[in-house]
Amino acid sequence: VSAFERGWKLNFDTYTERAQSVLQAAQTQALAQSHQHFLPEHILKAMLEDRDQLAANLIRAAGGQPEMVAQRVDDALRAAPAVTGGQQGLRLDQQTAKLFADAEAGAKAAGDSFVTVERLLIAMAGLTSSKSGETLRDAGADQAQLEAAVAQLRQGRTADTANAEEGYEALKK
């Protein structure tokens, strides 16, 4: 049973299949590293390791450096406290809860029926009290630049299906 099913305030059904996959991979990684809190950095790392490299390509399209982001995220996760002995479970970090709320609000404002990976990335860049937000901005990919990169990628389309990311032709490039 995932933490999402145990009661985190997340309407998982409103997330695309790709976003769900990224969140599950991030949760698995957090548990494997014995971290006590589910951090935005876990999600950003999972985004960067996604098979189609959507997040890395968007960071690059926004003028950022995905390699720098990956290195800083790895450093932040190595520094995150781990719990040894006994099963403590994984707690939702406040910044992660804010990330979900902001991504959901961003999707709604954009006319999307589903929260996509790119909405999570844009919301993450706006987190002011998070290593992941700071890292994205330091690497040259702030919210406005990512919004522009997403607009270019989507070419006016909205995320109205659970597999909306699969339709992005630019994703293949």
Side-chain angles (χ1 to χ4, degrees), residues 15-66:
Y15 284 67
T16 62
E17 292 171 6
R18 175 74 47 87
Q20 289 180 27
S21 174
V22 163
L23 294 174
Q24 290 287 4
Q27 178 186 332
T28 299
Q29 177 187 83
L31 290 168
Q33 293 178 342
S34 300
H35 288 159
Q36 190 171 8
H37 290 97
F38 187 51
L39 305 169
E41 291 75 28
H42 292 116
I43 298 169
L44 185 52
K45 181 168 179 63
M47 282 184 200
L48 291 169
E49 292 178 348
D50 186 55
R51 70 181 184 274
D52 285 329
Q53 298 291 296
L54 176 59
N57 289 337
L58 285 171
I59 292 167
R60 196 172 287 109
Q65 302 168 33

Side-chain angles (χ1 to χ4, degrees), residues 78-151:
R78 271 193 295 278
V83 178
T84 56
Q87 186 137 342
Q88 300 296 320
L90 190 59
R91 293 190 185 103
L92 186 63
D93 182 78
Q94 267 190 321
Q95 287 298 300
T96 307
K98 181 171 175 22
L99 168 66
F100 293 149
D102 291 353
E104 290 170 13
K108 185 176 182 180
D112 292 342
S113 301
F114 291 86
V115 179
T116 60
V117 170
E118 60 268 26
R119 290 288 161 219
L120 286 165
L121 186 63
I122 290 166
M124 193 171 295
L127 294 176
T128 56
S129 299
S130 164
K131 286 267 188 225
S132 57
E134 177 185 322
T135 295
L136 285 165
R137 291 186 301 275
D138 287 352
D142 67 19
Q143 261 188 314
Q145 292 162 313
L146 286 167
E147 279 279 6
V150 168

